[in-house]
Amino acid sequence: MRDYTFFQGARFYISNIFRSERFDIDRLDMSWADEERPEFCRGLRVIDHREGSTEMVDGEEADSLIYSLAYISSKDSDSGPGAIDMYLLNALKTKDFLVSNHEKLEVAKPKEDLLH
């Protein structure tokens, strides 16, 4: 598996920072040699494997996304692993990546089987 990709004609190194059943979030870093810094040089790539779509996020949006992922991951709640996927679905739809701007993330809990 290669650890780089090309975007806007430049080579970016990929570091996967999050993976779920549906999403991958990669950090993209580029080193430039010329005097001019490219428009996009560092950021995040959010890949939705079910929809086959990719979203690039940088700047304040990337900061909000990282903060929100860390917050949801560290929060001791009963929402389970689906809470991050629900957050990402809402964030990608609304283009608002700060978790505090979203309603409470409710995830359907599996029904427990009764043993007789």
Side-chain angles (χ1 to χ4, degrees), residues 19-24 47-51 85 89:
R19 177 169 286 154
S20 71
E21 288 183 24
R22 181 170 184 161
F23 291 99
D24 268 327
I47 303 166
D48 184 345
H49 292 290
R50 288 192 190 153
E51 297 294 323
D85 284 353
L89 286 171

Side-chain angles (χ1 to χ4, degrees), residues 7 11 18 45 50 55 71 82 87 90 92 94 99 108 115:
F7 178 65
R11 183 175 167 161
F18 175 78
R45 175 177 68 176
R50 288 192 190 153
E55 185 80 29
Y71 177 79
Y87 154 74
N90 290 334
L92 291 171
T94 62
V99 71
L115 297 175

Side-chain angles (χ1 to χ4, degrees), residues 22-103:
R22 181 170 184 161
F23 291 99
D24 268 327
I25 298 179
D26 300 325
R27 179 176 167 85
L28 303 178
D29 291 309
M30 183 185 79
S31 297
W32 63 91
D34 296 335
E35 295 173 6
E36 268 189 59
R37 178 179 152 174
E39 189 173 313
F40 183 94
C41 62
R42 283 178 177 70
L44 302 173
R45 175 177 68 176
V46 182
I47 303 166
D48 184 345
H49 292 290
R50 288 192 190 153
E51 297 294 323
S53 62
T54 300
E55 185 80 29
M56 305 294 275
V57 181
D58 66 343
E60 252 183 74
E61 291 178 337
D63 293 342
S64 294
L65 177 59
I66 290 294
Y67 167 80
S68 298
L69 288 173
Y71 177 79
I72 295 169
S73 296
S74 68
K75 188 142 177 75
D76 187 23
S77 66
D78 294 331
S79 31
I84 291 178
D85 284 353
M86 292 302 297
Y87 154 74
L88 286 169
L89 286 171
N90 290 334
L92 291 171
K93 183 171 47 172
T94 62
K95 303 298 184 211
D96 185 2
F97 293 95
L98 191 59
V99 71
S100 62
N101 294 342
H102 293 263
E103 293 180 17

